[in-house]
Amino acid sequence: MVLSKVKKGVNVKILSFDKGLKHKTIMTGLGILPGDAIQVIAPSFLGSPLTLRLTDGETVALRLSEASLINVEELN
């Protein structure tokens, strides 16, 4: 599953970045790393950007085009 398809309030674990993601260093700089658990807080009114809560409690926003290149699995 890709991050852009995750529903509001769902917790996921980041598995990997797709090869098409050009800004991997930006993702790691934001604290979005493979193995981390994050929560989807909400999409914006028009669906982009996607607001996320990271493991340390920080909130970040990603474009849907970037989120569609991040592979995740849902946590129970």
Side-chain angles (χ1 to χ4, degrees):
M1 173 188 323
V2 293
L3 185 57
S4 61
K5 301 293 183 188
V6 177
K7 302 287 184 197
K8 176 182 177 179
V10 175
N11 293 310
V12 295
K13 178 181 176 182
I14 299 173
L15 298 177
S16 63
F17 299 131
D18 190 275
K19 291 180 182 180
L21 185 63
K22 297 177 184 177
H23 306 294
K24 292 177 188 172
T25 55
I26 293 173
M27 294 299 129
T28 56
L30 289 172
I32 300 173
L33 303 166
D36 284 352
I38 60 174
Q39 180 184 35
V40 175
I41 297 174
S44 74
F45 178 70
L46 297 175
S48 186
L50 187 65
T51 307
L52 308 170
R53 179 171 292 126
L54 306 179
T55 52
D56 62 1
E58 285 193 49
T59 303
V60 298
L62 288 181
R63 292 182 190 115
L64 281 182
S65 61
E66 294 168 335
S68 68
L69 299 173
I70 300 174
N71 301 306
V72 298
E73 71 177 356
E74 190 172 333
L75 298 175
N76 295 330

